[in-house]
Structure formats: structure tokens, C-alpha cells
Amino acid sequence: MLSKVLVTLIVAAVSSTSLPAAFAGTPDFGSWPAIKSFTFSTPEPIRTTFDTPDPLTILFAPHNGETKLLSGKGNTECILDDNPNNVNAVDILDDIGIFKGAHSSGSCSVNDKYAFSDFLTEKGSLDDGSGKTYEAYKINHPKNDPLDFQFGITKLMFKVEGVLAASYIVYKAQPTTSGGTYALQVAQKDIVPVASGQFVMTSIELTNSGFNDVSDPPIFFVVPSDEALTAPESKTLNGSVNLQCDLEDDPTAVNLQDTVDKIGLYKTKYILHNDCFYQKKYSYFDFLTEKGELDDGAGHKYEAYKIGYPQGSPADFQAGRTHLMFKVKGSLASSYTVYKAQPRNEGDAYTVSIVEKGITVPTADQFVMTGVSLTDSGYNDISDAPIFFILPDDQALTVPIYKTLPGTLDECTIENDHTAYGPGDVVESFGIFIGKKSDGSCTTNKNYHYGNFLVEKGEVEDESGNRYEAYKVKYPDHIPTQWQSSNSRLMFKIEGALVPGSLYNVMKIQPPMSHPTVTVGDHDISVEAEGQYVTTSALVAPPGPPQAGGHDAIFFVVPAIDLVSAWPAFPTTGLRVEATIFSKDGLSLYAEVLGLQTEIFHSPFNPSINHAVGLDDYDHKYGYRKVYFPIVGASGDEGIVWQDQITFFIYVTWIGVGDDESAITIQLPENNSGDFYLLGAVSETTNGDIVYMLMDRTADSDNPYSALTVKAVKVNKDGVLITASTLDTSNSGGVNIHAYFSSAGTLAWNESQNSIAWFISREYIRGNDGLNHQALSVILLNPGDLRVVSERQVTSHSWNNYIIDSGDGFLSADLGDNYPRGIHVNKITPQGSITGHVVYTFKTQHGTKAQNPAGQTFPIYQDISNNEQTFYQWSNDNSVYTEMAQPALLELDDSSLIIVFAGEFPSLDSSQTGANLNNPRNIGIVKVDANDFTNVLSKGVDATGGFYTFNGDWSSQENKGIIQLTQFTSGGAGRRKLSSDDKTQWDNATRLKTAKLSNGNIVIVYEVWSSATYKRTEYMVIDSLGGVVTPSTFIPYALRLAPQDPAVMLYDDTVTIVGYDGLSLVRYHIQLGGGTNQCYERAKDRYYVKTDTDGEEVTKTCGHLAKKKEKKVKRACAKTKSGTTGAAKDVCKVTCEVCPCGEIDKSPFYPRPVKGEKKMKYNKCGWLASTKNDIKFICKSDRHSDKLGQAKVVCPVTCGTCPNK
């Protein structure tokens, strides 16, 4: 029986003591207890329907001779405000009239430049068909538009003769398509005239913001409120007439033009200027608002208002948001809740939820502003026209609470005033704000931060029955259009009594909830007072990977003394806890949680937070230092050397030493002040001594000629200092180091050769040319006294590196941008001699101006220029469009090396440059002879090209045998067709980790990112020739990888990768069911047949072999001789039947398309392996034919149906 494949990943914790002897043996993973599951629940939604009164159909009969042309310039609001009796008869017809409203500035004008004029008005009678008639007035389109722009809106006024009623309603009869009939609706209600025979101004607009609002002439008539007709009540609300600035000064100054009965709209302040902007170029406008009634089907009905999409959007940008306001008539309750009914795409059904609660109304019949936003950060948030209604809190409904938070409140504002948030910035006890930029300043510019977070309040419960108030944050609707300069973070408040010490932790859960990632988002947060919001460092943008349930994360707050974890038990100091995270579909994930020290909250490197730099970010190309250094000491002791990211203290954590349940952490010497970076650590296996390298974190910025302090330190396994050496870093006989550089270094110890090699990138001391150059060197050290034996430059400039001990010396790989440009593989002897070759190179961005910085002028580079971009024949490109895996190279049993990387394809097309990310990053490999790096053994794509250097010289480039393993496209891994510049939708492979298994196959674990954010973690398995054994497979867990840390081997077929999950030090173990016993064969792969008389190798494809008769296949598969390609048995493993379970990419499978199902263009295993659409449905299908089998039988590798042996 073949053994299972185990992949182990580590992630962080702490303690201190001396070390006993080590434990030995492979863990019994199958016996480890399961991780805790969590559930997130919200109240069941109420289902409702929305109804409005049926419109009355009435007839209008004009009175002969009772018409008049109203100028629209005779009466103004300014005049009538001073004296209501001062009415100009030119603009009245009996009991109705028009007047020019005041401009928002408060002044009035009837100048032709600023006014609509000449409204033909006709008096007549309306008949409702039941014998009732009403005096009515038809008002036609104005004949003349303003010559310049409208300054104030023309509105309706009316008078009542005789005894007055308590109040009146103005109805509007709108023409229907049924010729001569009109549909009736309420235009304004509750109008109270002051005196009989005196005109009263209404808010009914006849012209609106320069647009005529009287299409197909409407008819108006007035009725006492106690004689009200049953008619719909709807109105188009401008949205910017009422301003927060005005209403804060005078809450009664509501312009009823932007209200419908008890509901209205207002425009909030623009946060950047703390002022209000009513202009249309800064506003959404024209919200069709309709009054109606919600019915929950259980005998409960609620007065409600449907608010449609705004018909207009800002021409420039949105300065302030449009919010809801409401009023209450009659006696007041202590507080009120605003409910929102959202369409459910099920006919007339709506789902009710809470959008704001606890609103205090100070005065009856007075509008109160809410935090309910209808537009957020320039995006409409009222899809499918939601419905709002208000209830007293003592009549509250049990419904979900959710709200879209714009996330535009900035940290600088909160620092100045911790109460500066508005209702729209928070949901209950949860809020989102924008943190400061790296320079300490703040920005709310949406181009540089995430926005529009849908937040849902609920409750988290673990399987032990513990419950916590929690908030689910969905992936934001808005992502930065430029880059992310600021993080979106969480703030919270505590209602009720504070716990002793008033310290709290923010917990974060990422799905799936059956085996979630539970981490500490922020810890030991001091809360000064109950009910007061406090800011945290817990990040909510981006909130999580696209696991089951979507891009979401769940946050809840607990007292710091409450240790919340998903692990079977919370690890105490010096101990570890074992857990099974999941085991399903041939993939199992196990974990060892290493003891978290409770006295001090340590902060190891967190891959999800620290250096969370996207691939399109400027800093991504320069790499990042390695942060976790797995070591194996005496008697197989397993340890990790790591550095705290806050104190910068350095520790070693030993695992299972003396006791299988132990996790012992020791602080290491020579960095008690935290002044140094840890830039490499390695152990010696005889007695467990550890050597590590320290580099001063800060260079003398005022003196570019200064040398930096660098130390080599040696301690025993208990952390006791043996020796320390301060390196000569001068440029006169020393190793020439002025400053730390982000790509940093790697350390290797060749015990058989008594040599330590430090591969280190840094900035040089300033040279004679006036520059501090960057370069990678190999520094050889004597393991005894740590003196420098030699120093040699390897590459200039270098953005990534890796070195291992190998035989009689060292093997290395690094990523250079110029000298040389490419992945540079080297063999280094203990004496310092170097033999190397570039095994993969990449495209180059050329100058976009004719003149380079040195003043030289060059011609156009016609071959890569186009209509959109002109390039010139010079370059100075620091970008490498490539990322090396870690380890970057693997030694195989056939004396070869496989180099794994992520790059942009086609690799040498220099026209596709200009950004840090130009094409999706895909995984590629190249295989070379371990004794001759120029001898390429892989059979892949060859490419030639080149670039013009800084001085205009041509530099040729060539790639041989490059095999592209993944097929991510600009359409999101082939799933969708999107524009090539929509990088936020791309899939990119990054943070690659590699390991060789005992059967010769290679595991690649990697993260998938968009241009800026993490999406998911995947793995794949390839054979020694680059053939895919296990296609890219999603790991259903938020498994995060440190950017440039290498994988190492532990146990049997176990790959260890070190990281940190934000809660504790953990070692993850991935078990790949069938990983060693399955094969994936490509029909185009070629195998060695013979060498002809001319010395040329003859090869044939696996597809050719598969068509042969059985005897010829057996004969070919029995041969063992190989050339630059492998023998048939090594290349065509499925055809040769040398693996228990496999598939061939050209093998056809059933089903054929049938009626009602999606038509499939292809039905071969290769198509199935490359698609993400319907793969589960296809693999589960039992349909087959006489000639074609089921996909799960024909394509068992892709379908994951190989036996788990």
C-alpha cells in the first residue's frame, strides 16, 4: 500500500525554560481531535408585500373662456413672505396662482435669464364618475425657458374662500394613456391656510432645478383634509434641497418639497470640507418616492415609503450623501427604529431588516435626520427600490439588522473628536473607519481605500454553546481605483458595565464555519467608558478570502481574559494542542497549536497583515525578508527561530522536545534592545548550536558613506551565547554594507565542509559615482569563530534569494533585475568560487521618452510601440514581473534541478509592460542539468528576445523549456471575460512554496491574489518532468503563507511552512490523499525512443503511443533508456500503467449535453481540468454510454476520485 502524502505548514507562540531531550517519530494525525465549529445566526426575516391605493380615473371638462397665460414672474416667495396679501393678479386665475420660489441663497429673481415663463392655465371641472365634481386647473408647459439658468423654482399657490377647514390637500391629476382620463395622486397634504381669501404658498414644483416637471399638462385641485380621496401619494424628491448644515442650525427649516408625508430626504455634510453642497454636479438627485402600506400576512400593516433609484448622478463627484429623515405625528415614544424592506425577486415579496434603531424624536411633527444612507461613497445603495417604515422601539420587530457602511470616516477626525462619527458610520456597536497613511496623514479619497461594506449583526455560537454578539462584514463593493494607501479598520463600543481592567480583544472568524480560522484582530484594547466607541487595529479591508459563503469575515469583541479559540483546547504556556481541521475529498488538514504565552502577547509575523502588499504595488517587486527559520538540531530537535514584529526580540521555539506536548520558547541574546533585523538562522545537527545573523534596522540617513552594524551570533540550543562577531562592513576590506534592503538574506550551513554561507542583499556604501547601489553577495563564514572567510558579489540588483548546502558546497538562486536579468542559479564552493547561469529571464519596460536620465537621446523602438504607447531604445527597468518559489530550486534524483516561479506570459513580450502587474501571474518551471545549468532538460516553450540597455546597447535574451503550469487569464482564471485592465478580477499565483516528495513528485502550495488582495490558497502536484499529477486544488481554509519563507521537509513526505495565524504559533499538516499514487498524462508530452546515427534524439508523443497496439505499448514501456527526455514509462505513466490511478488529458468522457442543461463545447479531461465551471456537477454525474464512461471514472485525478491510499 502506498503511503499518504503529508504537507506540513507552520504558523506561531511562546515560553521560556531549558531543554530536555527530543521526541521522535511521525505523529498519528488520524487520532487528533477535530477543530471546533462555529455558527453565525441572525433572526428569521419577515416576509411582506407592498401595496398602494389604486389610482382614481377622472374626467376633466374645461370651462369655456376661463383661461389665462400666467407669466410666472409676477409673484415671488420673497415678496409674499413679507406680505401674503401682496399678490400680483397677473399670476393668478381665480383660486389658483403661481409664484417664483426663492433660490437656496435666500434671494429671488424674475429676470428672464433665470426664470421659466408664460404658463397657459385653464380652469375646469373634474368628475370622478360617482357624481362628485371638483373645481380644477390645468397648468401647461411654460412656453419660455430661462435664457441662462433657473434661479429659484416656480411653484403652486391657492386660496380658499369662506369658512376654512382645519387643513387641505392638493391633488394632482396626471394624464393617462386612455385619452381624456386622468390618474389621481396626492401632491401635498396638511396645508393650513392662515385666512379666508388669502393665498397660501405650497411646495408643489412646476419646474424643478431647470427641468420641466409638468409633462402632459397635469391638473390640480384642492380638497379639505376631512374630505380626502383615496389616491396614491408619490413624488420625485430632489434629494439636495434640505441640507444637514441648515437643519442642524434650525431643525424646523425643512423644505417640504423634498418630503412625502412623514418621510423626506436631506443631504449630509461633505466630510472633507465639513460643509454642505447642494449643486447637482455633487449630488445624486430625483428619487421617485411612493407612499404605501406593507402587509406581513399576519394581520400587521405598516405605513411605508418606497424610494426608487436616483434618476440623476453627480457630474463631478458626490460631496455628501443623501440620507433619510422622518417625522412622527401625535404622541411620541421614547425612541424609534427605521426598517428596510428589500425586494426578494419573488414577485411582490420583501424581506424586512433593521437599518437604524434607538432614534430619539425631540418634537412631534418635526423631521429628524437619520444615518440611513441612500447613496454611499458615490455608489447607489437602493437597488430594486427598497421600502422604509418607522416603528416605536417598544413595538420593535425581531428582524435582521444590517447596513452598508461607506467606511469614509478617517482616523484623524476621530482623534480630534471621538464622537465625530455619524449614524451612517456605525451599526449598533460596530463601526468602520479609515486608518492613517504610513506618513501619519489621512485621506478619504475613494481612489485609495475600500468602501461600501455590507455589515450584518448576528450572533456567533461555538459548539460548546458559548455565544457572542457578532458582525459579519461582506467583501466591500468599492475597491481602490489607484492603490490602497490606508487600511479600513474596526471600531466598537461596549454597552453596560465594563469588565475589571477594561481590556478587550477583537476576535475574527473566517469561514467555512465548520472549520474556521479564529484569530485575534487586535488585543488588550483599553475601553475608557461604556457606550463610547474606541478604534482598533483590526483590519476589515479586505475582510477575507472567497470561502464558502462569499468574501466575508465575522468580528466579535470579548474581554481580554476570555480566551476564545477554535482549537480543541486553548494551549497553555509551553504546551501544544493537536487538531484535525478537516478531512474531505482526498485532502486533510491537521494542526499543532504551539503554546501561547499569556503573560505577554507576542507578535510574530502575520502573513495576512504584515507586508500585505498586492502584486500591482510598487513595493511588491523588491521582495521581503524571510521571517521564520525552521531548524533541526541535535537528536532531530525541531525548532523555529523567529522575530517579534513589535519588540523585534528574537526567539527560538522548540517543539516536542522531551515531551510530545511541549512547545518551549527561549529569547535569544544580542538583540535585547530590538535594534536589529533577524536575517537568517541555521542550526548544526551534532549538538544543536544555532547561528543567526543580525543587521541594524536603521542606517545613518545623513551619511551615505557610513557602514551598518552587522552581527553573527552563535548560541547553544538553550539560547546561551557561545560567540558573537561584529562584521567589518566598511568598503575598504570589509563586506560593504550601508543599509538594510527588503529582500534581505538566506543562511546555509554545510557541516561536511565546515562552512556557513550568508546570501545577503543590501545597499552598498556610496561609491565614486555618487550612488548607493544595491547588490546581492555571498558571505562565507567560519562556523567556529564566525569570522568572514570571503565575500563575492553575485547579482546587481537582486529582489529575492535562496541558498542551500549541497554536496561539497552550496546551491543558490536569486532574482536579478539587470546584472544579470532573470533567475540566476549558482554553484558556490566553500572557497568562494561561483559558477552560474540565468535559467529564466523576462520582458523589459523601455523608455517612454526619447532621452534617458543621463541626457542621451534614442530612436523609437518600433517593434513594441503602438498607437497607445511609444517606447524608445533604452531601458532602466527595476521590475522583474516574476516571483521565485521558496525553495526556488529542488534537487532531483536524476542529477537535475527544477526551478519553480510565478511569471507573466508571454515571458519576453516587452510591449506588455508599464505597470508592476501587466498580465496575470502564472506558475512556471524549468528543469536543468544539476552539473550544467545551461543544459535545459524540460520540454516546454522556447522564446527569444532582448532589450536595449540604459546606454542603448542590445542585450539578447532566451528562454528554453519553460512549462506553464497554471492558466490564469485576464478573465479571472478563465471564468469570465473581462477587460484586460480589470486587474481587480484577475487571479495571480504568489507566495509559492515547494517540496519534493519521496516518489519524486513535487508539491507546490501557493496563494491566489487579485492585483491587490488575497483570495484563496491552493496546491498542486507535478511529476519530475513537469507533468501535472494533481491540478490546482482549492484548500478550504484561510491558510496564509509568509511572502518569501522556504518550505522544508520533516517526517516522511511532510512539508513544513512557517507562518502565523494571528492567534498562536501553529504547524499545519496537509495530507494529500492519493498524491503519490496518481498521474496526469498529457498526450503531447514526448518520450525518448532512440538516438539516430547523426546523434540526434528521436522522440514521440504519449498520444502517439496510446494509439499503438498492446504489444507495441508494452515493448515501449519496458525500455529504461532515456535521453534529454525520459523513457516512456516515466513520461507516459497512464498509458504504460505504472501508476495505480491516472488520467490522460485527451480522454473523452460522458455526458453529452441534454435538454435543459448547459451546453458543453468539450468533453475531455484536459477541458475539465482547465475549467472551474460545473466541475462538481460533471464529476458527480452517473450518466455514461456504451462508448464513453463517466467523468469521475475517466478523469479521476481532476474529479478527485482516485483511491485515498
Side-chain angles (χ1 to χ4, degrees):
M1 179 180 293
L2 293 171
S3 63
K4 293 180 180 178
V5 179
L6 298 178
V7 184
T8 303
L9 297 98
I10 294 187
V11 188
V14 224
S15 167
S16 181
T17 182
S18 60
L19 296 172
F23 80 93
T26 301
D28 180 12
F29 296 108
S31 66
W32 289 8
I35 196 171
K36 292 179 182 178
S37 63
F38 284 75
T39 58
F40 177 79
S41 60
T42 59
E44 283 295 320
I46 296 174
R47 319 288 190 205
T48 63
T49 57
F50 181 71
D51 298 305
T52 59
D54 292 329
L56 293 175
T57 301
I58 55 180
L59 298 175
F60 178 74
H63 296 172
N64 289 331
E66 294 193 65
T67 61
K68 186 176 182 180
L69 190 66
L70 308 184
S71 74
K73 298 185 290 182
N75 297 301
T76 68
E77 184 176 355
C78 301
I79 294 172
L80 296 177
D81 267 345
D82 291 337
N83 183 0
N85 294 312
N86 194 11
V87 175
N88 190 330
V90 70
D91 271 351
I92 62 172
L93 175 59
D94 287 352
D95 294 335
I96 205 163
I98 61 175
F99 69 98
K100 186 76 179 298
H103 184 258
S104 58
S105 63
S107 59
C108 298
S109 173
V110 293
N111 190 304
D112 287 341
K113 294 173 61 178
Y114 309 117
F116 288 92
S117 61
D118 294 347
F119 298 78
L120 180 61
T121 304
E122 187 175 5
K123 183 178 179 180
S125 299
L126 280 179
D127 186 341
D128 67 3
S130 65
K132 291 184 178 181
T133 59
Y134 306 91
E135 182 182 281
Y137 298 82
K138 179 188 288 188
I139 303 179
N140 285 269
H141 292 271
K143 293 184 177 181
N144 303 311
D145 291 347
L147 297 177
D148 198 341
F149 60 88
Q150 182 179 220
F151 190 85
I153 298 169
T154 304
K155 300 178 184 180
L156 191 74
M157 62 181 181
F158 72 91
K159 70 177 179 178
V160 178
E161 299 286 359
V163 179
L164 296 180
S167 62
Y168 291 83
I169 301 173
V170 177
Y171 289 94
K172 180 179 181 181
Q174 199 77 22
T176 69
T177 57
S178 303
T181 63
Y182 291 77
L184 193 65
Q185 58 183 225
V186 174
Q188 188 176 338
K189 63 195 301 186
D190 299 329
I191 305 170
V192 181
V194 176
S196 173
Q198 180 177 298
F199 276 91
V200 58
M201 293 181 288
T202 75
S203 63
I204 299 169
E205 299 178 353
L206 303 178
T207 60
N208 189 6
S209 303
F211 292 90
N212 180 23
D213 192 34
V214 289
S215 58
D216 301 322
I219 296 166
F220 296 93
F221 64 102
V222 180
V223 172
S225 296
D226 56 7
E227 299 175 20
L229 305 176
T230 302
E233 196 167 347
S234 65
K235 189 176 182 182
T236 297
L237 306 184
N238 177 279
S240 300
V241 174
N242 294 301
L243 302 176
Q244 179 182 355
C245 304
D246 298 332
L247 298 179
E248 283 180 343
D249 294 336
D250 181 4
T252 66
V254 173
N255 190 324
L256 298 180
Q257 150 187 344
D258 250 11
T259 67
V260 174
D261 200 6
K262 301 173 189 171
I263 208 165
L265 303 181
Y266 75 97
K267 184 80 177 293
T268 67
K269 292 179 181 178
Y270 181 38
I271 194 169
L272 285 182
H273 297 279
N274 195 34
D275 201 356
C276 295
F277 294 79
Y278 66 89
Q279 294 92 335
K280 294 177 68 173
K281 65 179 180 179
Y282 303 124
S283 310
Y284 287 90
F285 55 90
D286 290 354
F287 300 78
L288 178 60
T289 303
E290 185 177 8
K291 181 180 177 181
E293 186 175 68
L294 277 180
D295 188 337
D296 66 3
H300 304 106
K301 297 183 178 181
Y302 311 97
E303 180 182 290
Y305 299 81
K306 179 188 287 188
I307 303 180
Y309 287 101
Q311 299 303 301
S313 58
D316 199 340
F317 61 89
Q318 183 182 214
R321 305 190 296 271
T322 304
H323 276 210
L324 193 74
M325 62 181 180
F326 71 92
K327 69 179 178 179
V328 177
K329 295 182 179 181
S331 59
L332 297 177
S334 58
S335 59
Y336 292 82
T337 295
V338 178
Y339 295 87
K340 180 179 181 181
Q342 199 77 20
R344 298 177 57 226
N345 297 321
E346 299 176 13
D348 295 327
Y350 290 77
T351 300
V352 177
S353 64
I354 292 174
V355 287
E356 187 173 344
K357 63 189 298 187
I359 304 170
T360 302
V361 177
T363 307
D365 207 29
Q366 179 177 301
F367 279 92
V368 59
M369 295 181 286
T370 76
V372 179
S373 177
L374 304 178
T375 59
D376 277 329
S377 303
Y379 292 87
N380 179 23
D381 189 37
I382 52 173
S383 58
D384 302 320
I387 296 161
F388 297 92
F389 63 101
I390 294 95
L391 289 178
D393 283 350
D394 56 9
Q395 300 174 25
L397 306 177
T398 304
V399 295
I401 300 174
Y402 66 87
K403 184 192 290 187
T404 296
L405 301 185
T408 53
L409 179 67
D410 68 275
E411 186 174 4
C412 300
T413 299
I414 302 172
E415 276 187 347
N416 293 330
D417 179 5
H418 65 80
T419 65
Y421 61 88
D425 298 310
V426 298
V427 178
E428 301 273 301
S429 300
F430 178 95
I432 294 176
F433 69 98
I434 309 169
K436 292 180 179 178
K437 297 192 297 184
S438 57
D439 62 3
S441 65
C442 293
T443 179
T444 58
N445 188 324
K446 66 183 181 183
N447 293 327
Y448 303 101
H449 68 83
Y450 291 84
N452 290 6
F453 300 84
L454 179 61
V455 180
E456 183 177 10
K457 181 184 177 182
E459 184 178 71
V460 160
E461 181 178 0
D462 65 22
E463 61 186 30
S464 301
N466 300 308
R467 297 181 178 182
Y468 310 93
E469 179 184 293
Y471 296 83
K472 179 186 286 188
V473 181
K474 301 293 285 186
Y475 197 83
D477 286 341
H478 172 70
I479 63 174
T481 55
Q482 294 295 324
W483 64 83
Q484 184 184 4
S485 66
S486 306
N487 290 316
S488 297
R489 292 167 23 198
L490 177 154
M491 62 183 187
F492 71 91
K493 66 179 179 179
I494 300 295
E495 298 287 2
L498 302 178
V499 298
S502 301
L503 295 179
Y504 291 83
N505 291 345
V506 175
M507 307 302 300
K508 178 180 180 180
I509 300 180
Q510 289 175 256
M513 301 301 279
S514 58
H515 43 275
T517 305
V518 181
T519 60
V520 176
D522 195 3
H523 63 89
D524 295 332
I525 306 160
S526 178
V527 178
E528 295 182 1
E530 61 181 86
Q532 178 177 304
Y533 275 96
V534 293
T535 58
T536 76
S537 62
L539 301 182
V540 294
Q547 307 285 9
H551 293 70
D552 53 30
I554 297 165
F555 297 89
F556 59 101
V557 177
V558 298
I561 58 174
D562 292 348
L563 303 178
V564 179
S565 169
W567 307 115
F570 204 93
T572 56
T573 302
L575 297 178
R576 66 191 181 99
V577 172
E578 299 166 344
T580 297
I581 296 176
F582 66 83
S583 183
K584 185 179 181 182
D585 298 332
L587 177 67
S588 300
L589 182 62
Y590 305 98
E592 300 170 83
V593 191
L594 308 182
L596 179 70
Q597 183 163 324
T598 56
E599 295 85 0
I600 302 174
F601 198 102
H602 291 266
S603 297
F605 183 89
N606 188 337
S608 64
I609 296 176
N610 302 123
H611 197 67
V613 175
L615 283 79
D616 206 25
D617 191 286
Y618 176 81
D619 289 333
H620 185 272
K621 61 187 171 189
Y622 295 118
Y624 195 74
R625 65 182 181 274
K626 296 170 178 63
V627 293
Y628 292 106
F629 300 91
I631 58 174
V632 178
S635 305
D637 296 353
E638 298 168 21
I640 307 162
V641 180
W642 56 276
Q643 185 168 33
D644 191 288
Q645 300 301 297
I646 294 178
T647 66
F648 290 96
F649 295 164
I650 297 169
Y651 300 89
V652 60
T653 297
W654 294 104
I655 302 151
V657 177
D659 181 350
D660 283 1
E661 297 182 356
S662 69
I664 300 171
T665 298
I666 302 168
Q667 183 174 341
L668 300 180
E670 295 295 311
N671 192 31
N672 292 332
S673 61
D675 293 334
F676 293 89
Y677 281 129
L678 172 66
L679 298 186
V682 68
S683 64
E684 180 259 352
T685 57
T686 303
N687 52 25
D689 292 345
I690 304 169
V691 171
Y692 53 96
M693 304 301 298
L694 302 177
M695 180 179 288
D696 199 324
R697 292 165 48 214
T698 307
D700 185 351
S701 58
D702 295 328
N703 182 7
Y705 298 95
S706 62
L708 198 68
T709 302
V710 175
K711 295 181 182 180
V713 183
K714 186 176 184 179
V715 298
N716 68 14
K717 68 174 186 177
D718 295 320
V720 177
L721 181 65
I722 297 174
T723 186
S725 171
T726 300
L727 277 59
D728 178 2
T729 55
S730 70
N731 59 356
S732 55
V735 295
N736 194 354
I737 301 178
H738 167 69
Y740 160 84
F741 192 81
S742 60
S743 52
T746 313
L747 199 62
W749 191 338
N750 191 319
E751 294 183 50
S752 66
Q753 298 297 314
N754 196 35
S755 180
I756 292 176
W758 189 32
F759 227 29
I760 183 65
S761 287
R762 82 298 203 182
E763 285 188 21
Y764 279 146
I765 295 169
R766 180 161 293 183
N768 293 332
D769 60 358
L771 299 173
N772 292 84
H773 290 282
Q774 194 273 1
L776 171 79
S777 291
V778 58
I779 299 175
L780 299 178
L781 302 172
N782 182 294
D785 57 11
L786 302 182
R787 62 179 174 83
V788 175
V789 176
S790 67
E791 180 267 336
R792 286 277 305 273
Q793 178 175 306
V794 178
T795 298
S796 173
H797 310 113
S798 179
W799 308 148
N800 201 331
N801 59 77
Y802 176 74
I803 191 169
I804 55 170
D805 63 289
S806 177
D808 59 357
F810 302 92
L811 277 174
S812 72
D814 74 274
L815 184 61
D817 83 330
N818 207 336
Y819 299 104
R821 184 169 178 82
I823 296 179
H824 191 201
V825 176
N826 292 280
K827 184 176 291 185
I828 302 170
T829 70
Q831 293 73 40
S833 65
I834 303 174
T835 304
H837 182 68
V838 173
V839 298
Y840 174 76
T841 186
F842 31 78
K843 59 194 175 185
T844 304
Q845 180 181 357
H846 286 71
T848 55
K849 297 180 180 179
Q851 194 174 85
N852 71 7
Q856 299 170 284
T857 301
F858 300 91
I860 294 173
Y861 189 177
Q862 297 286 359
D863 290 349
I864 64 171
S865 297
N866 54 43
N867 293 334
E868 297 179 357
Q869 181 64 64
T870 300
F871 293 103
Y872 295 85
Q873 293 179 12
W874 67 273
S875 69
N876 187 28
D877 191 7
N878 293 140
S879 294
V880 292
Y881 318 106
T882 304
E883 185 179 332
M884 291 195 323
Q886 292 288 343
L889 51 82
L890 296 169
E891 297 179 272
L892 305 186
D893 297 335
D894 60 355
S895 298
S896 67
L897 301 176
I898 273 190
I899 294 89
V900 183
F901 59 90
E904 297 183 16
F905 295 94
S907 58
L908 295 178
D909 185 356
S910 292
S911 68
Q912 298 186 35
T913 57
N916 295 303
L917 179 67
N918 304 275
N919 305 101
R921 297 277 170 92
N922 278 283
I923 300 175
I925 67 157
V926 60
K927 182 176 180 178
V928 299
D929 189 328
N931 299 307
D932 179 6
F933 302 152
T934 65
N935 182 17
V936 178
L937 305 179
S938 51
K939 298 302 176 182
V941 175
D942 298 341
T944 58
F947 63 95
Y948 290 97
T949 67
F950 184 78
N951 293 317
D953 300 320
W954 179 252
S955 179
S956 298
Q957 293 174 292
E958 182 179 24
N959 282 326
K960 289 185 177 181
I962 305 301
I963 298 175
Q964 183 178 333
L965 297 177
T966 56
Q967 304 298 325
F968 297 144
T969 71
S970 58
R975 298 180 182 86
R976 302 173 299 278
K977 290 184 178 180
L978 300 168
S979 62
S980 61
D981 61 352
D982 192 3
K983 301 179 187 180
T984 63
Q985 302 297 324
W986 291 1
D987 283 355
N988 299 276
T990 184
R991 304 190 179 198
L992 284 64
K993 314 300 174 192
T994 61
K996 185 185 73 172
L997 305 174
S998 59
N999 67 347
N1001 287 343
I1002 295 162
V1003 179
I1004 307 173
V1005 182
Y1006 57 96
E1007 292 186 353
V1008 178
W1009 282 53
S1010 69
S1011 59
T1013 62
Y1014 168 79
K1015 289 186 171 185
R1016 61 187 180 273
T1017 302
E1018 296 182 341
Y1019 79 93
M1020 68 186 311
V1021 181
I1022 61 173
D1023 61 26
S1024 60
L1025 297 173
V1028 176
V1029 175
T1030 302
S1032 296
T1033 302
F1034 169 58
I1035 299 175
Y1037 188 75
L1039 187 62
R1040 301 305 307 274
L1041 311 175
Q1044 301 297 345
D1045 283 17
V1048 295
M1049 298 297 295
L1050 291 175
Y1051 313 133
D1052 295 326
D1053 280 335
T1054 300
V1055 185
T1056 299
I1057 301 174
V1058 184
Y1060 178 66
D1061 74 347
L1063 181 64
S1064 58
L1065 206 55
V1066 182
R1067 297 206 301 182
Y1068 292 107
H1069 307 277
I1070 303 176
Q1071 188 175 70
L1072 309 176
T1076 59
N1077 70 336
Q1078 60 186 29
C1079 311
Y1080 189 90
E1081 179 180 312
R1082 293 177 297 188
K1084 69 177 182 180
D1085 288 343
R1086 307 189 73 87
Y1087 66 92
Y1088 175 81
V1089 177
K1090 64 180 181 180
T1091 301
D1092 63 18
T1093 55
D1094 295 327
E1096 297 291 329
E1097 290 186 3
V1098 178
T1099 63
K1100 293 185 178 180
T1101 66
C1102 292
H1104 174 83
L1105 180 62
K1107 296 175 183 177
K1108 297 293 183 182
K1109 293 183 178 179
E1110 184 178 355
K1111 285 186 178 180
K1112 289 189 175 182
V1113 172
K1114 287 185 176 180
R1115 189 182 309 139
C1117 293
K1119 294 181 179 180
T1120 58
K1121 188 174 181 181
S1122 63
T1124 55
T1125 59
K1129 69 180 182 64
D1130 297 320
V1131 179
C1132 312
K1133 294 180 180 180
V1134 180
T1135 299
C1136 289
E1137 299 181 346
V1138 296
C1139 69
C1141 181
E1143 71 182 66
I1144 301 174
D1145 63 344
K1146 296 298 183 182
S1147 296
F1149 65 88
Y1150 203 84
R1152 298 285 188 183
V1154 297
K1155 186 178 180 180
E1157 293 184 353
K1158 182 179 179 181
K1159 183 177 180 180
M1160 291 183 295
K1161 186 177 180 181
Y1162 302 105
N1163 59 343
K1164 295 181 179 179
C1165 293
W1167 170 82
L1168 187 62
S1170 64
T1171 188
K1172 301 293 183 183
N1173 297 321
D1174 302 325
I1175 189 168
K1176 289 185 178 180
F1177 164 75
I1178 294 169
C1179 289
K1180 287 181 179 179
S1181 174
D1182 290 322
R1183 288 188 288 123
H1184 62 281
S1185 68
D1186 294 338
K1187 295 183 179 180
L1188 295 175
Q1190 305 152 350
K1192 61 186 176 184
V1193 175
V1194 179
C1195 315
V1197 176
T1198 298
C1199 287
T1201 51
C1202 282
N1204 200 6
K1205 299 179 179 179

